[in-house]
Amino acid sequence: MSDTSQSTGPDLHALFGIDGEHATGAEPVVALDRDGGGVGADPGARGVGAPGLDPFEVDDTHGAPAITPEGGVEAHPDFAPIEHEGALDGSPPAGHSGDESAHQDSASAGDAGQWSGITRPSRRGSSQRFLTDVIVDMGIAARGQVEEALETSRIAGTTAERVLLDKNIINQDGLARALAERYGLDHLDLGVFSVDMSAANLVTTAIAKRYQAVPVAFSDKRTLLVAMADPSNVLAVDDIAIMTGYEVRVAVAPPDDIAALISRLDRLEEAVGESGSQFGQDDEEDEVVDLHESSEDAPVIKLVNQIVAQAVEQGASDIHLAPDGHETRVRFRVDGVLADVTTVPRKMAAGVVSRVKIMAELNIAEKRLPQDGRVGLVVDGRHIDLRVVTMPSVHGEGLVMRVLDKASVVVEMDKLGMADAERERFEAACHETHGAVLVTGPTGSGKSTTLYGALKLLNTPEKNIITVEDPVEYEMAGLTQVQVAAKVGLTFAAGLRAIVRADPDVIMVGEIRDRETAQIAVESALTGHLVLSTLHTNDAPSAITRLIEMGVEPFLVASALECVVAQRLARMLCPNCKRRTIIPAQVLRDSGYKAHVELEAYEPVGCRRCGGSGYRGRVGLYEVMQISPEIQKMALERQPSEAIRDVAVAQGMTRLRDDGLMKVRQGRTSITEITRVVGHN
Ligand SMILES: [Zn+2]
C-alpha cells in the first residue's frame, strides 16, 4: 500500500480543505495532531471537539493507506472493520477560490454549485455496524425483510444486500446511501453533482471501469473526491492515489450512475471532431483543425475537447477560461448565467490556452495583446462555431469562447414566447413593404433569434431577402446572407451599401452600431425596403432616442421606424421541481410593481433534471412598440424616452417587466428571475 502522503507535514490549506483566503476560522479548530493520530487510527480518538465533523480529517483522506482490510473486505463488507477515515467534511474545493463560500452547505440543492448532490453521513468514520442494520435503521428495508435476506444469503453463499437487490427490496441508490452511512462517507447523486472534468481526466477510462471509480472533484489542493460504487475496495483507492498523485477522499455512488458517468466522459471526449465547412468567404479560415496532432499534448487536447463538448451538451453560450493567479477557472454561461464548471490546474493552464489559440489559428507567442479568431467544430454530429477572444490579464492569459450552435437557433415565431397581441403587432410590422423593424436588448437577449423568426415568416420565393451579419448564426435557404469581414473592409455599412444596389425587398442588418449604418438603414427603410436590425438599448422607446443620438435626423427616424421590440431572456422554471409559492405584496413592491395583494406563483427548487438550479431553458420577455403618429411627433420633438414610453404604454404597449410578471403568473418563471433580468424598474 502506498504511503505517499504520510510523510508530508500539516498543510493548513489542505487541512482546511480551502485556500488561504478562505481560512476564516469558521471551522472549529480542534487538533493538529494528524501525524500522531496516523491514518487508520480509531476515528473516535480524534475530532475532539466535534465528533463526526472533524475538519482536520480532511487530510487523512488519501484513505488508501489507512484502510486495513482485515478479513476479506470485498466478500464481506459487513464484517470488515475498516477505519474508513471520516475525513470528509464536505468542504468546497480549494480550486474554486473565487466567489464561493467556503462553508456552502454541500447538501443543499438550492444552487447549481459544484457541491450540489452530496449527502453527508450522520457521522464521519466507519460506524462498525453491520450494513444490514444500517439498511434497517435508515428505513431502506424492513427488519423482517433483512432478516430473511440474511438467512437466504447464508444458504446461497452471497451477501444479504445482494439478495435484497435481487428481490428488488432495495435499489442501487438505496444500497449506495446505506454504504455511505455505514462507512461514514458522503453519498453522491451524480445526476445532480457537477463533475469536474480536470479531476475526471486524471484516471483513464479503463481504470475507472475496472474500479467502478471516477474522480469527480478536487476536494482541496491535494485531495481528489472520488465517486466509488464499492467504498471497501481499498486496492482501488490505493491505486488511484498512486496513479494521480493525489490523496483520495471516497464518496459513494450507485454502480449504474458511475457506469453512466464513465460512458458520458468517453462520449464527451469523442464528441468533438473536425469541422467540415465553415461560414465566411475566407478560405484560410475554413481550414480544418486536426484535433489529434501530437501525442504529448494528448491530456491537454482531451481536456479542451471535453470542456467544449460539455459546454455544448449543457447548451452554454460562452466558455470562459479565467486565470486567478493559482489555477485557471473554467466557467460556462448557461441560460444567461455564468457558473464555475471546473478548474484547470496551473501546470496545464498554459497548454489549454495555447491549444485553443492553435485551434483558432491565433499567434500563440503573443500573450500580451488581445486576439480574436474562430474555429469550426463538429460536436456530437452538430456543427459548432467557436469565436475565440484572448484576454491578457494580470494573472496570465485567459480567453472567452462564444459557442455558436447553428442548430439551436429557434426560428418559429410561435415558439418565441411572445404573447398573442405582441406577436400580431410585430408580424404586422414585418409584413409592411417598407419601414424599419428593430429588435433591441443587450448581448445574449435573443435578438437574432427574433430576427430569424421574422425572416422565416417573410421567406417566400417572390421576395428577395439579403442579410449582412456578423456572424451568420443560422443559414436559411432562400436568403442571400453576407458575412461581415472587417479585415477586408466589408463592414455592416459597406455590406449594406452593396445590398441596397442588389434590388432587395427585405434587408436584415445584424446590428446598427455606428452612424453610417444607422443612416443607410433608415434611408433604405424610407425607399421601399423593409429593414430588420438590432440595437443595443434597454427598452423599445430608447431606440428612437438612440438613433437620433447617433446622428440620424429626427424626421427620418420618425418616418422610417415601423415597430421596435425590446427583449430579454428569462430562465424558465424546471417543470419537474418548481414549487407553488405565494409572493407577498411587499416583495412585488420591492421588485418595482404597484402591488396591493400577494400573488400565487412558483419558485425554483432544484432537482436532478435541472442540475439543481431549479431552471431549465429560457423564455423571451417582449415589449413591442408600434410607432403611432403621437410617437412620431414625440420623436420629431426629441422628447426623452421616458415620455415616449408613457405614451406607448397608454397606447397598449406591455413593458418588459410587465410581460415578465405575466410569465411569473403563468408559472413559467420566477419573480427573482424577472428582477434579475429586467431590474427593479
Ligand atoms: Zn428541476
Side-chain angles (χ1 to χ4, degrees):
M1 294 228 170
S2 128
D3 199 27
T4 45
S5 47
Q6 286 290 302
S7 55
T8 20
D11 172 342
L12 281 174
H13 290 178
L15 286 171
F16 282 101
I18 47 182
D19 265 353
E21 59 264 36
H22 282 315
T24 53
E27 293 277 11
V29 174
V30 185
L32 282 165
D33 181 21
R34 56 178 288 283
D35 289 329
V39 266
D42 177 8
R46 67 184 74 146
V48 183
L53 284 168
D54 184 355
F56 297 102
E57 293 189 0
V58 169
D59 204 35
D60 292 323
T61 43
H62 44 69
I67 298 164
T68 42
E70 300 155 42
V73 174
E74 309 237 354
H76 303 287
D78 292 17
F79 296 87
I82 296 174
E83 299 310 339
H84 225 299
E85 295 326 298
L88 322 179
D89 70 345
S91 308
H96 297 255
S97 53
D99 41 14
E100 281 175 61
S101 153
H103 296 97
Q104 179 185 347
D105 183 2
S106 56
S108 80
D111 254 314
Q114 180 77 10
W115 295 85
S116 295
I118 285 196
T119 310
R120 304 182 197 186
S122 64
R123 61 183 291 277
R124 293 291 172 187
S126 179
S127 65
Q128 313 250 17
R129 294 154 70 208
F130 293 121
L131 180 62
T132 41
D133 290 338
V134 175
I135 289 174
V136 173
D137 290 351
M138 290 177 79
I140 296 168
R143 170 69 65 187
Q145 292 172 311
V146 171
E147 298 288 349
E148 205 175 295
L150 276 167
E151 199 56 43
T152 310
S153 68
R154 254 191 286 277
I155 299 157
T158 179
T159 61
E161 57 273 16
R162 186 72 252 166
V163 172
L164 290 167
L165 276 176
D166 290 345
K167 288 187 169 172
N168 283 326
I169 292 168
I170 64 173
N171 60 21
Q172 282 195 358
D173 193 54
L175 178 59
R177 285 178 192 279
L179 277 169
E181 181 63 25
R182 159 69 179 79
Y183 292 109
L185 301 168
D186 293 318
H187 170 269
L188 281 184
D189 183 344
L190 292 175
V192 171
F193 189 86
S194 132
V195 174
D196 187 326
M197 290 299 166
S198 308
N201 271 331
L202 291 170
V203 302
T204 63
T205 306
I207 292 296
K209 277 182 187 154
R210 188 190 309 157
Y211 291 140
Q212 288 184 289
V214 184
V216 291
F218 293 95
S219 164
D220 62 52
K221 284 186 174 160
R222 304 191 303 176
T223 312
L224 279 175
L225 181 67
V226 176
M228 289 186 77
D230 178 6
S232 62
N233 188 346
V234 291
L235 297 175
V237 175
D238 202 26
D239 273 2
I240 291 171
I242 292 168
M243 241 177 279
T244 60
Y246 281 85
E247 294 165 15
V248 168
R249 168 181 153 180
V250 177
V252 188
D256 283 355
D257 285 9
I258 287 177
L261 172 60
I262 293 169
S263 65
R264 178 165 164 268
L265 291 169
D266 256 359
R267 216 182 58 240
L268 283 178
E269 193 201 341
E270 299 298 318
V272 181
E274 296 166 355
S275 168
S277 74
Q278 218 183 335
F279 50 62
Q281 43 286 98
D282 189 348
D283 279 350
E284 281 172 333
E285 284 186 334
D286 281 64
E287 223 166 88
V288 162
V289 170
D290 180 5
L291 288 164
H292 304 280
E293 37 211 27
S294 141
S295 59
E296 72 214 49
D297 298 332
V300 165
I301 292 171
K302 185 175 168 187
L303 182 57
V304 170
N305 285 359
Q306 285 184 342
I307 289 170
V308 171
Q310 191 187 6
V312 171
E313 185 187 78
Q314 294 183 5
S317 60
D318 301 85
I319 305 166
H320 293 236
L321 295 182
D324 66 3
H326 304 283
E327 302 96 347
T328 290
R329 290 199 291 163
V330 179
R331 317 178 82 193
F332 290 170
R333 187 178 295 282
V334 179
D335 290 343
V337 178
L338 206 52
D340 282 358
V341 175
T342 179
T343 306
V344 179
R346 192 174 203 158
K347 56 179 189 269
M348 278 177 94
V352 167
V353 169
S354 294
R355 173 66 196 158
V356 176
K357 287 167 82 176
I358 290 168
M359 286 164 68
E361 298 182 326
L362 301 177
N363 177 1
I364 56 166
E366 179 56 78
K367 297 182 196 313
R368 295 153 307 166
L369 295 175
Q371 301 180 65
D372 65 287
R374 62 172 61 154
V375 58
L377 299 169
V378 174
V379 180
D380 253 347
R382 280 146 74 189
H383 188 119
I384 301 297
D385 279 293
L386 292 182
R387 309 193 95 202
V388 180
V389 178
T390 68
M391 298 296 247
S393 83
V394 290
H395 293 308
E397 195 175 24
L399 52 85
V400 176
M401 289 175 260
R402 166 143 287 200
V403 182
L404 294 176
D405 180 356
K406 293 180 179 183
S408 73
V409 183
V410 183
V411 289
E412 299 291 344
M413 283 299 295
D414 55 355
K415 291 194 183 119
L416 290 177
M418 214 183 263
D420 290 348
E422 272 69 31
R423 209 175 104 206
E424 270 169 36
R425 253 181 283 164
F426 178 61
E427 290 187 2
C430 291
H431 279 114
E432 293 288 333
T433 52
H434 61 91
V437 176
L438 299 181
V439 182
T440 77
T443 304
S445 55
K447 297 189 295 285
S448 44
T449 302
T450 304
L451 284 188
Y452 284 126
L455 288 176
K456 186 155 190 186
L457 195 73
L458 297 170
N459 190 11
T460 52
E462 66 274 14
K463 282 207 170 98
N464 183 18
I465 303 178
I466 310 182
T467 75
V468 51
E469 302 171 67
D470 183 26
V472 174
E473 286 180 45
Y474 180 85
E475 285 165 34
M476 205 180 280
L479 268 56
T480 304
Q481 291 173 282
V482 178
Q483 164 78 47
V484 162
K487 278 181 199 161
V488 295
L490 181 53
T491 58
F492 274 121
L496 193 49
R497 240 181 278 122
I499 286 175
V500 175
R501 293 194 292 269
D503 185 31
D505 297 295
V506 179
I507 299 169
M508 194 266 263
V509 191
E511 190 187 338
I512 296 175
R513 53 183 155 197
D514 56 78
R515 190 193 158 184
E516 197 183 2
T517 311
Q519 189 72 31
I520 307 169
V522 165
E523 283 168 7
S524 309
L526 287 169
T527 52
H529 309 100
L530 180 73
V531 177
L532 304 174
S533 192
T534 70
L535 261 184
H536 271 256
T537 65
N538 284 331
D539 61 7
S542 301
I544 293 175
T545 44
R546 174 63 51 83
L547 286 172
I548 294 171
E549 278 163 17
M550 279 177 150
V552 183
E553 286 297 327
F555 77 94
L556 291 177
V557 174
S559 39
L561 269 190
E562 195 62 46
C563 176
V564 182
V565 178
Q567 74 173 75
R568 297 288 188 282
L569 293 175
R571 289 180 295 168
M572 272 197 286
L573 285 165
C574 168
N576 190 50
C577 65
K578 67 180 180 184
R579 181 167 61 202
R580 204 86 174 116
T581 185
I582 288 174
I583 307 168
Q586 187 57 49
V587 170
L588 291 171
R589 285 196 291 274
D590 290 347
S591 306
Y593 295 100
K594 291 193 191 85
H596 302 290
V597 291
E598 70 272 14
L599 185 67
E600 271 190 58
Y602 288 89
E603 63 183 2
V605 177
C607 69
R608 100 178 8 225
R609 289 199 195 157
C610 56
S613 71
Y615 295 97
R616 276 182 85 190
R618 286 190 289 180
V619 63
L621 311 180
Y622 302 93
E623 171 175 293
V624 181
M625 180 177 76
Q626 249 174 335
I627 311 302
S628 63
E630 290 79 8
I631 292 174
Q632 284 183 323
K633 185 161 166 284
M634 296 179 90
L636 285 174
E637 293 164 355
R638 295 177 185 254
Q639 297 239 20
S641 58
E642 293 78 16
I644 298 174
R645 181 191 71 205
D646 292 344
V647 170
V649 168
Q651 293 180 343
M653 180 181 87
T654 304
R655 291 181 62 193
L656 272 176
R657 49 200 331 287
D658 296 336
D659 191 40
L661 188 62
M662 195 171 79
K663 276 150 187 162
V664 170
R665 290 166 60 189
Q666 290 167 347
R668 295 161 91 176
T669 186
S670 69
I671 191 78
T672 45
E673 180 65 4
I674 296 304
T675 307
R676 182 184 74 82
V677 169
V678 299
H680 290 272
N681 44 51

